[in-house]
């Protein structure tokens, strides 16, 4: 018989990121700690075009497709305005929040720690984008 204890510590924190009104992708303090973020890490994004799914990939070293992770006033962010504008996200009227769901099966394929960006429901339906679940 195989029994695995599911630790409350592992499931106590919801990892969250937010597209801010500035177009930057901001990380909550808990998320920054859980992802062990620093200015020496990088972020890359991937989109499954068939399923319309967006992924965040955290990298230990940069490549030509990676964004720098920056810090301001103790909070980590990525300068993603042009990317989110191109993808059609309507963040100017209010923040768009996502839960990050770990996808370790894609780590080798995408060369980093992969997280599915699950958009949280919003009261303003015009800001909702058609990103679906994996």
């Amino acid at each position: 018989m195989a029994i695995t204890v599911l630790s409350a510590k592992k499931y106590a924190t919801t990892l969250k990121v937010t597209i801010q009104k500035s177009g930057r992708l901001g990380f909550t303090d808990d998320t920054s700690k859980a992802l062990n973020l620093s200015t020496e890490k990088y972020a890359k994004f991937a989109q499954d075009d068939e399923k319309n799914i967006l992924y965040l990939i955290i990298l230990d070293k940069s490549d030509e497709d990676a964004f720098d992770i920056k810090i301001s006033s103790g909070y980590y962010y990525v300068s993603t305005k042009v990317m989110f504008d191109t993808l059609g996200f309507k963040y100017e009227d209010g923040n768009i929040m996502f839960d990050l769901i770990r996808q370790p099966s894609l780590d080798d394929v995408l060369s980093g720690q992969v997280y599915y960006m699950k958009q949280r429901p919003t009261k303003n339906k015009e800001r909702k984008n058609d990103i679906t679940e994996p």
Side-chain angles (χ1 to χ4, degrees):
M1 174 165 60
I3 297 175
T4 303
V5 174
L6 302 175
S7 172
K9 286 176 80 173
K10 182 176 179 180
Y11 302 105
T13 302
T14 301
L15 302 180
K16 295 176 267 197
V17 293
T18 302
I19 304 174
Q20 301 165 344
K21 289 183 181 184
S22 64
R24 296 196 277 191
L25 185 72
F27 297 85
T28 64
D29 190 46
D30 286 340
T31 300
S32 296
K33 289 175 183 172
L35 299 182
N36 196 26
L37 293 183
S38 74
T39 55
E40 295 178 11
K41 296 234 178 175
Y42 302 88
K44 191 162 43 172
F45 299 86
Q47 184 173 0
D48 182 327
D49 297 324
E50 291 177 10
K51 297 180 182 176
N52 205 22
I53 296 171
L54 190 61
Y55 296 101
L56 168 67
I57 307 148
I58 301 298
L59 308 168
D60 289 327
K61 53 186 173 179
S62 184
D63 68 26
E64 65 183 20
D65 298 319
F67 291 82
D68 291 338
I69 293 179
K70 301 176 182 180
I71 191 168
S72 177
S73 301
Y75 289 95
Y76 289 96
Y77 70 93
V78 179
S79 297
T80 48
K81 180 181 181 353
V82 174
M83 182 186 80
F84 287 129
D85 285 346
T86 302
L87 292 173
F89 283 88
K90 299 177 183 4
Y91 54 83
E92 297 91 353
D93 296 329
N95 296 340
I96 300 174
M97 297 189 312
F98 298 87
D99 290 325
L100 297 180
I101 301 169
R102 188 76 169 91
Q103 303 291 304
S105 63
L106 295 175
D107 286 0
D108 289 338
V109 175
L110 297 174
S111 303
Q113 291 181 353
V114 180
Y115 297 85
Y116 160 57
M117 294 176 64
K118 180 179 181 181
Q119 188 171 347
R120 288 183 163 207
T122 179
K123 291 179 184 175
N124 182 349
K125 294 186 188 285
E126 291 178 15
R127 286 191 288 137
K128 179 110 171 94
N129 293 285
D130 294 326
I131 301 296
T132 57
E133 296 188 29

